[in-house]
Amino acid sequence: MSEDPDRLHLLYLTLQTLRDDMPVPDQLTESLKKLAIESWKRALDLRCQMPDASNPEWQILRTSHTAALIDSQADILSNLRPTPWIVMAPDRTLLWDGQEYRFGPGFTDNELPPSEVIETAREFATAGRGNAYWDGIAPVRLHPTPGNIESSSLASLRAQAIDCQMCELCKPATRTVSGEGNPKARIIFIGEQPGDQEDLHGRPFVGPAGQLFDSALREAGGNRAEMWITNAVKHFKFIPKRNRRIHQKPDAPEIKSCTPWLATERRVLSPEVTVILGVTAASAVLGRQVTVSRERSRPIPLEDGSIGLVTVHPSYLLRLPDEESKTREYTKFVNDLRMAISTLAG
């Protein structure tokens, strides 16, 4: 999706060289690499502008990127944010209503109120996948490498992670589920992996375990909007059973594959307190086998300078067989969260 005026000429020369079974000259190779890097950066920039799904209301993204680039990112943008949005550019309108996306020409909103922008975008963006022009457009993928990841910002991490193929979990999962919250958070919570609802909604901790976590966090005096919530593994691991997807525990290679994402996320956030929810997250953060009952409820100095605190994953509480056990363990869980929050006060 380069805008270089010589791009078609360079591609023609490349095809001609390959047709004649000749080696591609180094100078031509370098020029093509520059085009690829330029396109990669433009696609990343567009993705970084897309808000996450924490606010379910319509979001309007105004950009100067070309129609060709926007068209190539339609699938990716709807995976990044499953809830409704509009991308507005000088020569393209792209609308996603949560179910399907539609293309149309660009328009100038002239500071219209959001409701009128949405209505106008609906009128302009009428071409869908049934239109032959857009039906064959291949998405431009970023194919992140550990080197790309290590130098990323939080927005760039999320934008690249949607294309992560570092382990086999990316194939059956709907999408990569990145962390969310306050980028200036002093405390972060790390769980195991997205569940069924997280995979569908593109947000961490929004299913039954997430709802229990929110309740316990409020009871402990915390505010989710002030925290950062993430997982050690960014794809949902499951086995299909009839019309359900049954959670499966990530194995060691899958946890290791996700290490660059989590390590960079923690480095960029630089929290004072890291709350580790469950054995998978504890193994990922501490780099060793962990028994939660032995490590629980005590401060652990971490290599990044933060204080770690291990506790159970909220899904453990949902699996307890009787109300007495659930009440007892829920109280202990709230106390752990309260301890983590109070650590910030010194």
Side-chain angles (χ1 to χ4, degrees):
M1 298 300 115
S2 169
E3 296 179 25
D4 190 305
D6 293 329
R7 65 191 185 280
L8 296 180
H9 175 64
L10 292 171
L11 291 174
Y12 175 79
L13 286 178
T14 304
L15 291 173
Q16 189 177 45
T17 302
L18 294 174
R19 183 201 64 187
D20 295 339
D21 200 23
M22 299 288 289
V24 180
D26 290 344
Q27 185 176 355
L28 179 55
T29 299
E30 287 303 311
S31 297
L32 292 172
K33 284 181 180 179
K34 288 180 181 179
L35 292 183
I37 292 170
E38 176 198 338
S39 297
W40 190 93
K41 289 180 177 179
R42 289 179 184 276
L44 179 63
D45 180 71
L46 176 61
R47 295 183 187 191
C48 285
Q49 295 178 51
M50 180 58 67
D52 64 29
S54 55
N55 181 352
E57 301 298 322
W58 281 88
Q59 297 294 300
I60 300 168
L61 191 162
R62 294 171 175 83
T63 184
S64 60
H65 285 297
T66 63
L69 176 65
I70 293 169
D71 294 349
S72 78
Q73 296 299 293
D75 283 335
I76 290 93
L77 295 178
S78 60
N79 262 325
L80 268 176
R81 178 181 161 83
T83 44
W85 47 260
I86 296 166
V87 173
M88 296 174 55
D91 56 354
R92 174 66 72 236
T93 300
L94 176 61
L95 179 147
W96 167 258
D97 63 5
Q99 299 295 324
E100 61 180 353
Y101 47 77
R102 298 276 177 180
F103 303 88
F107 71 96
T108 302
D109 66 344
N110 293 323
E111 304 302 324
L112 294 172
S115 59
E116 293 188 31
V117 171
I118 295 167
E119 186 61 32
T120 303
R122 287 183 183 276
E123 294 175 3
F124 274 64
T126 58
R129 277 295 181 87
N131 184 298
Y133 177 81
W134 284 281
D135 185 49
I137 292 179
V140 172
R141 300 287 182 179
L142 299 186
H143 303 295
T145 65
N148 298 137
I149 297 167
E150 289 169 6
S151 60
S152 294
S153 64
L154 287 176
S156 178
L157 275 178
R158 175 172 164 265
Q160 293 181 74
I162 206 72
D163 282 340
C164 181
Q165 296 182 339
M166 294 184 180
C167 74
E168 294 298 305
L169 296 186
C170 66
K171 294 179 180 178
T174 307
R175 57 177 52 84
T176 311
V177 180
S178 295
E180 72 170 34
N182 183 355
K184 296 183 179 179
R186 299 169 64 201
I187 182 169
I188 68 171
F189 295 85
I190 304 174
E192 180 187 83
Q193 65 167 335
D196 178 77
Q197 291 302 303
E198 289 79 6
D199 176 73
L200 295 175
H201 290 88
R203 299 183 60 203
F205 281 79
V206 293
Q211 293 167 25
L212 189 149
F213 169 78
D214 286 350
S215 175
L217 184 61
R218 286 193 297 270
E219 200 166 324
N223 180 351
R224 176 166 174 152
E226 297 175 357
M227 316 296 185
W228 187 267
I229 318 291
T230 193
N231 284 298
V233 174
K234 310 301 187 186
H235 285 112
F236 178 33
K237 182 176 182 179
F238 64 92
I239 56 172
K241 187 174 182 180
R242 297 186 180 92
N243 61 342
R244 298 179 61 201
R245 302 190 296 176
I246 308 301
H247 165 277
Q248 297 290 291
K249 186 180 179 65
D251 59 30
E254 291 159 349
I255 296 170
K256 184 177 180 181
S257 294
C258 255
T259 296
W261 298 110
L262 182 62
T264 303
E265 196 173 14
R266 291 175 60 209
R267 178 185 58 75
V268 173
L269 287 161
S270 189
E272 296 176 38
V273 178
T274 300
V275 182
I276 306 165
L277 305 168
V279 66
T280 297
S283 298
V285 173
L286 300 178
R288 55 180 170 81
Q289 292 294 318
V290 175
T291 301
V292 171
S293 59
R294 294 178 186 170
E295 308 276 2
R296 184 176 184 180
S297 306
R298 64 180 180 86
I300 302 173
L302 301 179
E303 291 182 0
D304 64 0
S306 68
I307 297 299
L309 188 138
V310 175
T311 187
V312 297
H313 193 282
S315 62
Y316 160 76
L317 305 177
L318 297 176
R319 296 193 298 269
L320 293 171
D322 59 85
E323 290 304 316
E324 182 180 350
S325 298
K326 288 182 179 180
T327 300
R328 181 183 65 250
E329 291 301 316
Y330 178 79
T331 300
K332 289 172 63 177
F333 182 59
V334 171
N335 287 338
D336 283 343
L337 300 187
R338 188 175 289 122
M339 181 189 305
I341 294 168
S342 66
T343 302
L344 294 174

